[in-house]
């Protein structure tokens, strides 16, 4: 599904290869630059390049942003590289260490390297309580602005591209599958290629998740009353968990889950665990998320990996036990979550037959 987990060039080798590629490919480019994006920077980096509305551009990245280098926790450009056009956003994340996009507005292209979770809003401002500091490392980024469609430009460029990034980006574009109607990527984590829909056949219609060294959240907006009869029902088949350790600490917080988001800004996730007991409840161990997200272990029997399992959880009862306080009135979204950025292992899971049930009826959640 994703193409950013190949063996990567180190930033020095990447810069040298890209410099040759951009020089040889100049006839096929409208503009280009190679930019160093430091994680320690206090803000957005000006690439010196302007985009016009409708222009297509590609970004190649090498390097790491270290969130806690002593623990080996770091992110490549697939998770840490963000871009926006002009000062007003909106922000968007690179889909992989190669990515392409079409400019929705005209303006200067800006880049930043950072872990997610610090955003105040979709324009790229930072939460005051989470200043942009503490991360180390850098990304080296090649910016390619095309005179026409990105894929056409990449095809012309690849014969002179010793780095292989142009070929990789063409493969990523060809493999891209649009989201099932109704689902959207959580803007705070950005677009990924972790999830894709599969039609019914020997198995039910489902959303398949494959995560490796990345993280993503899909949201399905709803407006459903929360009362004592409310149940979240779903089926899932976890084939491989992204953690071998208990997931309630930051260095091991890799997991697969389904969640409900409430009208008070909190969310409760129902997760598969590699090592925690079923029924275990804990707040998210990550900054910013710790005040908003709570996890409840639904499954931890590894003998049931690879088996379709039917689930039904009493949401209000679970909220009162796991979170407490004044309960919310409504459910505003259902989420699918996959995280594999810490231990960098693969996780594979499928979700199907997702519904919100209550005495007043049923809300079906795609596909």
């Amino acid at each position: 599904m994703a193409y950013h987990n190949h063996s990567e060039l180190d930033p020095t080798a990447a810069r040298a290869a890209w410099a040759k590629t951009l020089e040889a490919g100049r006839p096929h480019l409208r503009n280009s630059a190679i930019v160093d994006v430091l994680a320690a920077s206090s803000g957005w980096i000006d690439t010196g390049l302007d985009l016009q509305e409708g222009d297509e551009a590609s970004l190649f990245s090498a390097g790491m942003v270290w969130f806690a280098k002593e623990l080996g926790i770091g992110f490549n450009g697939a998770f840490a590289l963000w871009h926006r056009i002009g000062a007003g956003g909106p922000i968007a994340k690179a889909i992989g260490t190669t990515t392409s996009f079409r400019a929705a507005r005209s303006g200067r292209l800006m880049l930043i390297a950072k872990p997610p979770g610090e955003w105040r809003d979709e324009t790229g401002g930072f939460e005051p309580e989470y200043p942009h500091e503490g991360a180390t490392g850098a990304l080296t980024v090649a910016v390619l602005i095309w005179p026409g469609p990105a894929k056409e430009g990449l095809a012309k460029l690849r014969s002179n591209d010793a780095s292989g990034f142009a070929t990789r980006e063409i493969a990523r574009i060809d493999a891209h599958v649009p989201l099932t109607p109704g689902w959207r990527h959580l803007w705070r984590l950005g677009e990924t290629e972790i999830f894709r829909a599969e039609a019914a056949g020997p198995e039910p219609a489902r959303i398949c998740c494959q995560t490796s060294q990345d993280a993503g959240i899909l949201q399905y907006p709803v407006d459903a009353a929360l009362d004592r009869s409310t149940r979240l029902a779903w089926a899932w088949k976890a084939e491989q968990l992204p953690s071998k350790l208990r997931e309630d600490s930051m260095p091991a917080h890799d997991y697969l889950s389904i969640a409900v988001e409430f009208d008070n800004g909190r969310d409760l996730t129902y997760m598969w665990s590699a090592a925690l007991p079923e029924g275990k409840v804990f707040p998210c161990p990550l900054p910013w998320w710790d005040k908003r997200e709570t996890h409840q272990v639904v499954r931890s029997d590894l003998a049931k990996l690879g088996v379709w399992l039917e689930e039904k959880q009493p949401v209000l009862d679970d909220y009162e036990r796991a979170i407490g306080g004044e309960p919310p009135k409504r459910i505003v979204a259902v989420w699918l979550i996959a995280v594999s950025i810490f231990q960098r292992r693969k996780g594979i899971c499928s979700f199907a037959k997702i519904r919100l049930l209550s005495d007043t009826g049923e809300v079906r959640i795609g596909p």
Side-chain angles (χ1 to χ4, degrees):
M1 293 183 183
Y3 284 83
H4 59 266
N5 295 320
H6 298 254
S7 296
E8 299 291 348
L9 293 174
D10 67 70
T12 301
R15 174 182 283 275
W18 294 337
K20 293 179 181 178
T21 298
L22 298 183
E23 180 61 30
R26 192 176 300 277
H28 311 305
L29 290 159
R30 188 168 69 75
N31 214 337
S32 64
I34 300 176
V35 183
D36 289 320
V37 185
L38 303 179
S41 169
S42 60
W44 289 84
I45 303 298
D46 187 340
T47 65
L49 302 178
D50 292 315
L51 288 166
Q52 301 300 314
E53 182 179 350
D55 280 351
E56 295 195 16
S58 299
L59 305 176
F60 302 162
S61 65
M64 292 288 287
V65 170
W66 295 103
F67 188 62
K69 192 170 184 179
E70 67 281 3
L71 299 174
I73 300 174
F75 318 119
N76 65 14
F79 194 66
L81 179 61
W82 295 74
H83 58 88
R84 73 180 183 187
I85 300 172
I91 59 174
K93 185 183 69 64
I95 300 175
T97 51
T98 68
T99 195
S100 298
F101 62 93
R102 177 176 293 171
R105 57 187 296 185
S106 299
R108 183 60 61 91
L109 178 62
M110 313 291 286
L111 302 176
I112 198 167
K114 61 175 294 298
E118 301 171 4
W119 300 122
R120 181 182 66 242
D121 52 44
E122 294 183 62
T123 68
F126 301 115
E127 289 275 12
E129 69 221 73
Y130 297 96
H132 182 58
E133 59 186 24
T136 61
L139 300 175
T140 298
V141 182
V143 183
L144 301 85
I145 301 176
W146 307 104
K151 187 177 175 182
E152 290 183 9
L154 289 160
K156 294 173 182 176
L157 190 74
R158 63 181 167 185
S159 62
N160 294 311
D161 178 25
S163 74
F165 277 58
T167 297
R168 185 188 308 181
E169 175 60 3
I170 291 170
R172 190 201 63 78
I173 291 170
D174 287 343
H176 178 71
V177 176
L179 288 179
T180 302
W183 292 97
R184 67 188 185 195
H185 297 281
L186 176 64
W187 69 268
R188 189 174 294 279
L189 291 187
E191 185 177 351
T192 75
E193 294 181 327
I194 292 172
F195 304 94
R196 66 175 59 198
E198 298 286 350
E203 297 184 342
R206 59 208 177 274
I207 292 181
C208 300
C209 154
Q210 182 169 316
T211 179
S212 179
Q213 304 180 50
D214 50 19
I217 295 178
L218 283 191
Q219 294 178 306
Y220 194 99
V222 299
D223 182 19
L226 176 63
D227 59 36
R228 196 64 62 186
S229 71
T230 304
R231 301 287 187 273
L232 176 68
W234 76 97
W236 56 354
K237 181 178 71 171
E239 298 179 61
Q240 183 174 337
L241 301 181
S243 178
K244 282 191 171 182
L245 307 172
R246 51 185 297 155
E247 300 90 348
D248 54 354
S249 67
M250 184 175 68
H253 194 55
D254 297 310
Y255 66 97
L256 305 166
S257 77
I258 186 171
V260 283
E261 179 188 358
F262 304 100
D263 59 2
N264 62 359
R266 303 295 299 258
D267 68 270
L268 176 61
T269 92
Y270 297 107
M271 63 176 287
W272 252 100
S273 175
L276 295 168
E278 294 178 4
K280 170 74 174 177
V281 169
F282 63 97
C284 181
L286 305 183
W288 189 89
W289 293 95
D290 57 350
K291 297 178 175 62
R292 296 161 176 83
E293 185 164 78
T294 302
H295 301 284
Q296 179 172 323
V297 177
V298 173
R299 295 286 179 179
S300 61
D301 183 353
L302 301 185
K304 294 180 179 175
L305 290 175
V307 178
W308 277 104
L309 302 171
E310 301 271 352
E311 313 286 9
K312 190 180 294 184
Q313 291 292 140
V315 179
L316 181 55
D317 290 351
D318 288 340
Y319 185 97
E320 291 174 340
R321 183 175 74 90
I323 301 173
E326 180 69 23
K329 303 297 183 185
R330 306 193 75 79
I331 295 173
V332 298
V334 172
W335 297 5
L336 301 180
I337 307 176
V339 181
S340 60
I341 53 177
F342 298 105
Q343 299 167 73
R344 302 178 196 166
R345 292 169 44 81
K346 182 181 290 187
I348 304 173
C349 188
S350 296
F351 299 86
K353 302 189 226 178
I354 306 170
R355 293 104 63 215
L356 285 168
L357 311 174
S358 72
D359 289 346
T360 60
E362 174 179 306
V363 177
R364 290 186 173 272
I365 313 297

